């Protein structure tokens, strides 16, 4: 017998967060858990997305044992922005059992219908700052900390329920070519001189945020305005990002381009990978885990490409070539084995073409699905 229960009690909250880590993906070498303390914030009354979303979480039990979980989100700001009536599903995990998956999706659809929503989409979180997309290729690859791993059978569970693909993303491993493209280097230098641009400097993460934090978010909003599923940044979201980023920003892996008035016009932000550290800590950040995280941050073997932002008026001027060139220089660091791009929309030709300058391997692919609620 399958029972679906709304997550309300402390016990159920703990189970909702820990079941994938401690049971479903226990000892899986590719799964990277989110931080427990970040996931727990969802159940606090002051959660950062409370002012723009309604959401509900469910656990599935089969014969008395936990068999799955899911969260449904009415992202009201996104629905208003895109003129849609969608419910997002996220944090979907299930044993390989179609009845369990169906029961979880049914409960989300029932809740969404009561809210006047007509389409269910996902996996998508509260914003594109969260993990999104169902892994459909690359099951033998280590997940990044920023993205979610899932078993191959998830695709069957989702598609058998009647979902169809809405968008797709690719992920690549990037390595510096043996010889840096001189043409790219010349183009980068030419564009910088032509538009009187220069690279900004910062002493450390705190200095970086102080100098460029406000401009960073302004450019992000403009750059990602038309990207699938995005929502504008609120003050609370900005604070959350800064609180998270300041712990792992390393100025060796950031590039900021300024105009002659020291206004930020473009930036590229990479992070030291903490995937293996999060695995070892099983998603917790206790005091005795700090040395592992600090080592990963100070001496990374992998860097994760976070965000690239360009002011609209500079998009067609080749300025991004300077950021790509800087990324190549980062990868020439002998400690760095490769970079992970994280998610790129598969039909975003401008970003896809940028990786041709690297020794690159497309090693993961993800889909977001949709289904009309009946």
């Amino acid at each position: 017998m399958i029972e679906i229960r709304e997550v309300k009690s402390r016990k159920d909250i703990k189970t909702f967060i820990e079941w994938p880590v401690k049971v479903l993906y226990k000892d899986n070498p590719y799964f990277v858990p989110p931080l427990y303390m970040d996931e727990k914030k969802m159940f606090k009354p002051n959660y950062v997305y409370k002012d723009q979303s309604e959401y509900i979480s469910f656990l599935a039990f089969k014969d008395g044992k936990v068999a799955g979980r899911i969260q449904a989100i009415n992202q009201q700001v996104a629905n208003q922005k895109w003129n849609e009536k969608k419910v997002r599903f996220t944090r979907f995990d299930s044993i390989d059992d179609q009845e369990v998956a169906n029961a979880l999706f049914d409960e989300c659809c029932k809740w969404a219908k009561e809210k006047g929503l007509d389409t269910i989409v996902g996996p998508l979180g509260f914003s594109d700052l969260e993990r999104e997309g169902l892994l459909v290729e690359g099951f033998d690859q280590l997940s990044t900390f920023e993205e979610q791993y899932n078993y191959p059978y998830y695709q069957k569970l989702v598609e058998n329920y009647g979902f169809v693909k809405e968008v797709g993303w690719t992920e690549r491993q990037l390595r510096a070519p043996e010889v840096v493209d001189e043409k790219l280097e010349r183009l980068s230098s030419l564009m910088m001189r032509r538009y009187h641009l220069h690279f900004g400097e910062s002493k450390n993460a705190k200095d970086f945020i102080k100098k460029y934090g406000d401009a960073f978010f302004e450019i992000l909003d403009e750059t990602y305005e038309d990207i699938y599923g995005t929502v504008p940044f609120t003050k609370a979201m900005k604070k959350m990002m800064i609180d998270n980023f300041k712990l792992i920003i390393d100025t060796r892996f950031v590039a900021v381009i300024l105009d002659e008035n020291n206004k930020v016009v473009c930036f590229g932000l990479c992070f030291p990978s903490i995937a293996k550290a999060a695995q070892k800590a099983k998603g917790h950040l206790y005091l005795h885990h700090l040395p592992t995280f600090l080592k990963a941050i100070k001496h990374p073997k992998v860097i994760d490409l976070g965000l690239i932002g360009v002011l609209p008026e500079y998009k067609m001027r080749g300025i991004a070539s300077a950021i790509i060139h800087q990324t190549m220089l980062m990868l020439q660091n002998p400690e760095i084995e490769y970079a992970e791009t994280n998610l790129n929309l598969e039909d975003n030709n401008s970003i896809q073409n940028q990786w041709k300058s690297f020794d690159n391997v497309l090693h993961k692919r993800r889909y977001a699905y949709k289904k009309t609620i009946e």
Side-chain angles (χ1 to χ4, degrees):
M1 184 180 75
I2 297 171
E3 173 198 357
I4 303 297
R5 186 161 77 210
E6 182 182 347
V7 176
K8 291 182 178 180
S9 69
R10 288 185 179 180
K11 181 181 177 181
D12 282 351
I13 290 171
K14 184 176 174 62
T15 300
F16 184 88
I17 298 172
E18 291 191 338
W19 180 72
V21 183
K22 291 190 171 182
V23 180
L24 193 64
Y25 292 101
K26 184 180 179 182
D27 300 324
N28 183 291
Y30 311 115
F31 172 79
V32 175
L35 292 181
Y36 183 92
M37 63 181 187
D38 289 339
E39 293 294 280
K40 193 175 180 180
K41 290 176 184 177
M42 295 185 301
F43 300 97
K44 302 285 187 181
N46 61 344
Y47 186 47
V48 66
Y49 292 107
K50 278 274 189 179
D51 62 345
Q52 56 183 260
S53 303
E54 299 176 279
Y55 54 98
I56 191 168
S57 306
F58 299 104
L59 284 170
F61 296 82
K62 183 170 183 178
D63 300 328
K65 293 183 178 181
V66 180
R69 68 168 196 167
I70 201 167
Q71 187 175 71
I73 303 170
N74 176 13
Q75 219 312 348
Q76 294 158 319
V77 172
N79 280 334
Q80 183 178 6
K81 173 184 175 180
W82 301 99
N83 192 27
E84 296 170 334
K85 295 181 178 180
K86 291 181 174 179
V87 61
R88 300 178 172 201
F89 77 85
T90 183
R91 295 170 175 85
F92 166 67
D93 287 294
S94 174
I95 62 173
D96 189 2
D97 187 310
Q98 193 67 52
E99 285 187 297
V100 171
N102 289 354
L104 288 167
F105 290 132
D106 283 346
E107 204 66 34
C108 289
C109 290
K110 179 183 175 183
W111 179 82
K113 204 168 184 178
E114 292 171 354
K115 302 292 179 182
L117 307 178
D118 59 23
T119 306
I120 180 169
V121 297
L124 292 174
F126 292 93
S127 76
D128 64 329
L129 298 178
E130 290 208 311
R131 298 177 172 198
E132 56 189 354
L134 191 81
L135 189 67
V136 296
E137 292 179 19
F139 302 106
D140 59 349
Q141 300 292 317
L142 178 68
S143 181
T144 62
F145 176 72
E146 295 83 5
E147 301 303 337
Q148 181 69 16
Y149 181 83
N150 58 259
Y151 288 121
Y153 66 78
Y154 276 42
Q155 185 174 7
K156 172 195 66 178
L157 297 179
V158 170
E159 293 180 357
N160 283 352
Y161 188 73
F163 282 99
V164 295
K165 176 188 172 186
E166 182 168 42
V167 297
W169 295 272
T170 61
E171 296 177 62
R172 297 175 187 267
Q173 282 185 356
L174 306 180
R175 290 173 172 82
E178 291 185 10
V179 179
V180 175
D181 189 345
E182 292 183 4
K183 186 184 298 184
L184 180 66
E185 189 173 2
R186 287 197 303 272
L187 176 62
S188 171
S189 298
L190 175 64
M191 292 301 101
M192 295 288 282
R193 291 196 303 271
R194 176 178 294 177
Y195 299 111
H196 309 289
L197 304 175
H198 61 280
F199 284 99
E201 297 181 354
S202 52
K203 300 174 184 176
N204 49 44
K206 184 178 180 180
D207 188 41
F208 173 84
I209 292 169
K210 181 180 179 181
K211 284 183 175 179
Y212 309 121
D214 290 339
F216 172 86
F217 290 109
E218 290 173 12
I219 294 177
L220 274 184
D221 267 338
E222 292 192 61
T223 303
Y224 293 89
E225 169 68 21
D226 298 322
I227 298 296
Y228 173 81
T230 56
V231 295
F233 288 100
T234 63
K235 287 184 179 180
M237 289 168 66
K238 292 176 184 178
K239 183 180 184 304
M240 177 188 68
M241 283 187 71
I242 288 173
D243 288 345
N244 291 340
F245 286 174
K246 68 184 180 184
L247 300 175
I248 57 174
I249 285 178
D250 186 323
T251 53
R252 293 177 297 168
F253 307 122
V254 299
V256 179
I257 298 178
L258 311 175
D259 68 10
E260 55 192 331
N261 298 312
N262 287 324
K263 177 185 176 182
V264 179
V265 301
C266 181
F267 68 85
L269 191 58
C270 303
F271 305 106
S273 172
I274 59 171
K276 291 188 176 180
Q279 278 185 328
K280 290 180 181 178
K282 300 189 186 312
H284 288 282
L285 195 54
Y286 298 131
L287 191 61
H288 63 277
H289 294 135
L290 286 179
T292 302
F293 279 93
L294 289 174
K295 182 179 178 181
I297 293 167
K298 295 297 182 183
H299 302 284
K301 293 183 178 180
V302 178
I303 57 174
D304 294 344
L305 272 62
L307 299 162
I308 295 177
V310 187
L311 283 179
E313 58 265 36
Y314 285 90
K315 277 187 178 180
M316 303 306 293
R317 297 181 181 180
I319 300 304
S321 64
I323 297 294
I324 297 303
H325 181 247
Q326 286 299 113
T327 305
M328 281 189 179
L329 296 180
M330 293 175 195
L331 289 175
Q332 289 185 321
N333 181 329
E335 287 188 352
I336 306 299
E337 295 178 8
Y338 60 87
E340 288 267 5
T341 65
N342 280 310
L343 272 62
N344 301 145
L345 285 166
E346 59 187 9
D347 60 356
N348 186 339
N349 294 325
S350 61
I351 193 70
Q352 296 287 355
N353 288 333
Q354 288 178 347
W355 309 137
K356 292 180 180 179
S357 301
F358 294 81
D359 177 5
N360 76 89
V361 177
L362 196 164
H363 65 311
K364 299 176 196 167
R365 194 180 295 273
R366 296 176 188 274
Y367 294 163
Y369 290 87
K370 67 177 180 179
K371 181 183 186 296
T372 300
I373 297 173
E374 299 173 354

